[in-house]
Amino acid sequence: MLETTLRIFSIIFPVFACAGLGAAYGYRHRPDMAVVNRLNMEFFAPFLVFWALMDKPFDFLAFRDLAIGGVAVILGSGLLLWPLGWLLRINLKTFLPPMMFNNSGNMGIPLVLFAFGEQALQAAVVLFIIEMVLHFTVGFYILDHRTKPLRLLKMPMIQATILGLLFSSLHVTLPDALANTVKLLGQVSIPLLLFSLGVRLLDVNFRDWKLGTFGAIVGPAAGIASVFLVSPLLTLDANQHAQLLIFAALPPAVLNVLVAEQYQQEPQRVASIVLLGNLASLIIIPAVLYFALTH
């Protein structure tokens, strides 16, 4: 019991500490993170994705069921909560995207790294890519019904994914000097993701705290329910099942706020859902980690 508790603390402390330091620095200095976030998403994070996919041979079959599970968690959360939102007369365009699209980048990748080690990075990247692709296709379609999936090919993250898979499938290896450079640039992304998450959360408020609290509870619950509904149909090893549970319990992505602002879809309400969801993760993530690691 004590050993498991200490392990969970060692996993979550660096994640929340980096985000907390970002919030503390942001509160004092109010930095403009727009350039930093763009640099991370268009430069450092693509290097992380590329390195994770090409560093070791990528076994498509080994991650097939995990990928299916990731899709099921995202779409299943939306399908489970759609009738509930409709019954409660909540604007579904405001409510569903934060319930479906979670913090698989800012929080998910670091959590998996600390919980399962560097060998689990490919699995974390697979879930991150799935969440990102569905957000920029299904998520945008929920808001305006005019999404253009081919635009994904222009995103550095997708280009890095395709290139990484190509290198891996062709067994192309980089010279050590170049490989270490790629790895070093990719490693910048993880602490920067957490730091920027902390800074960004300062911009949201508690105005719609009731909806935010409701979302903080039912979002992870729907995700976890989706895991247990789809798991009997999948072949997942113990680590993959645990990673899928953690993925399902992650709080809403901050990107939901930016997208809501872009489409003028009640951004303040979305911001409250995101803020309360991330605060609630201080309790939910350790509980899910304990269950995942002990079962």
mmCIF file with all atom_site columns, all heavy atoms in Angstrom, residues 37 42 50 67 77:
data_model
loop_
_atom_site.group_PDB
_atom_site.id
_atom_site.type_symbol
_atom_site.label_atom_id
_atom_site.label_alt_id
_atom_site.label_comp_id
_atom_site.label_asym_id
_atom_site.label_entity_id
_atom_site.label_seq_id
_atom_site.pdbx_PDB_ins_code
_atom_site.Cartn_x
_atom_site.Cartn_y
_atom_site.Cartn_z
_atom_site.occupancy
_atom_site.B_iso_or_equiv
_atom_site.pdbx_formal_charge
_atom_site.auth_seq_id
_atom_site.auth_comp_id
_atom_site.auth_asym_id
_atom_site.auth_atom_id
_atom_site.pdbx_PDB_model_num
ATOM 1  N N   . ASN A 1 37 ? 3.614   28.548 -27.421 1.00 0.00 ? 37 ASN A N   1
ATOM 2  C CA  . ASN A 1 37 ? 2.730   27.421 -27.717 1.00 0.00 ? 37 ASN A CA  1
ATOM 3  C C   . ASN A 1 37 ? 2.798   27.031 -29.192 1.00 0.00 ? 37 ASN A C   1
ATOM 4  O O   . ASN A 1 37 ? 2.799   25.841 -29.532 1.00 0.00 ? 37 ASN A O   1
ATOM 5  C CB  . ASN A 1 37 ? 1.296   27.767 -27.334 1.00 0.00 ? 37 ASN A CB  1
ATOM 6  C CG  . ASN A 1 37 ? 1.102   27.827 -25.830 1.00 0.00 ? 37 ASN A CG  1
ATOM 7  O OD1 . ASN A 1 37 ? 1.821   27.175 -25.080 1.00 0.00 ? 37 ASN A OD1 1
ATOM 8  N ND2 . ASN A 1 37 ? 0.153   28.621 -25.383 1.00 0.00 ? 37 ASN A ND2 1
ATOM 9  N N   . GLU A 1 42 ? 4.401   23.337 -33.354 1.00 0.00 ? 42 GLU A N   1
ATOM 10 C CA  . GLU A 1 42 ? 4.857   23.268 -34.744 1.00 0.00 ? 42 GLU A CA  1
ATOM 11 C C   . GLU A 1 42 ? 6.320   22.860 -34.878 1.00 0.00 ? 42 GLU A C   1
ATOM 12 O O   . GLU A 1 42 ? 6.778   22.583 -35.986 1.00 0.00 ? 42 GLU A O   1
ATOM 13 C CB  . GLU A 1 42 ? 4.646   24.621 -35.434 1.00 0.00 ? 42 GLU A CB  1
ATOM 14 C CG  . GLU A 1 42 ? 3.171   24.998 -35.585 1.00 0.00 ? 42 GLU A CG  1
ATOM 15 C CD  . GLU A 1 42 ? 2.972   26.280 -36.366 1.00 0.00 ? 42 GLU A CD  1
ATOM 16 O OE1 . GLU A 1 42 ? 3.980   26.898 -36.778 1.00 0.00 ? 42 GLU A OE1 1
ATOM 17 O OE2 . GLU A 1 42 ? 1.801   26.680 -36.567 1.00 0.00 ? 42 GLU A OE2 1
ATOM 18 N N   . PHE A 1 50 ? 8.170   12.354 -33.980 1.00 0.00 ? 50 PHE A N   1
ATOM 19 C CA  . PHE A 1 50 ? 9.039   11.701 -34.956 1.00 0.00 ? 50 PHE A CA  1
ATOM 20 C C   . PHE A 1 50 ? 10.035  10.776 -34.266 1.00 0.00 ? 50 PHE A C   1
ATOM 21 O O   . PHE A 1 50 ? 10.206  9.614  -34.656 1.00 0.00 ? 50 PHE A O   1
ATOM 22 C CB  . PHE A 1 50 ? 9.781   12.761 -35.775 1.00 0.00 ? 50 PHE A CB  1
ATOM 23 C CG  . PHE A 1 50 ? 10.815  12.194 -36.711 1.00 0.00 ? 50 PHE A CG  1
ATOM 24 C CD1 . PHE A 1 50 ? 10.448  11.483 -37.841 1.00 0.00 ? 50 PHE A CD1 1
ATOM 25 C CD2 . PHE A 1 50 ? 12.173  12.360 -36.452 1.00 0.00 ? 50 PHE A CD2 1
ATOM 26 C CE1 . PHE A 1 50 ? 11.401  10.940 -38.695 1.00 0.00 ? 50 PHE A CE1 1
ATOM 27 C CE2 . PHE A 1 50 ? 13.130  11.836 -37.304 1.00 0.00 ? 50 PHE A CE2 1
ATOM 28 C CZ  . PHE A 1 50 ? 12.739  11.123 -38.430 1.00 0.00 ? 50 PHE A CZ  1
ATOM 29 N N   . ALA A 1 67 ? -5.148  1.626  -30.298 1.00 0.00 ? 67 ALA A N   1
ATOM 30 C CA  . ALA A 1 67 ? -5.657  2.709  -31.131 1.00 0.00 ? 67 ALA A CA  1
ATOM 31 C C   . ALA A 1 67 ? -7.175  2.649  -31.241 1.00 0.00 ? 67 ALA A C   1
ATOM 32 O O   . ALA A 1 67 ? -7.873  3.675  -31.138 1.00 0.00 ? 67 ALA A O   1
ATOM 33 C CB  . ALA A 1 67 ? -5.021  2.654  -32.520 1.00 0.00 ? 67 ALA A CB  1
ATOM 34 N N   . SER A 1 77 ? -17.370 8.592  -25.310 1.00 0.00 ? 77 SER A N   1
ATOM 35 C CA  . SER A 1 77 ? -17.696 9.640  -24.333 1.00 0.00 ? 77 SER A CA  1
ATOM 36 C C   . SER A 1 77 ? -18.762 10.564 -24.889 1.00 0.00 ? 77 SER A C   1
ATOM 37 O O   . SER A 1 77 ? -19.713 10.943 -24.187 1.00 0.00 ? 77 SER A O   1
ATOM 38 C CB  . SER A 1 77 ? -16.435 10.433 -23.977 1.00 0.00 ? 77 SER A CB  1
ATOM 39 O OG  . SER A 1 77 ? -15.475 9.626  -23.345 1.00 0.00 ? 77 SER A OG  1
#
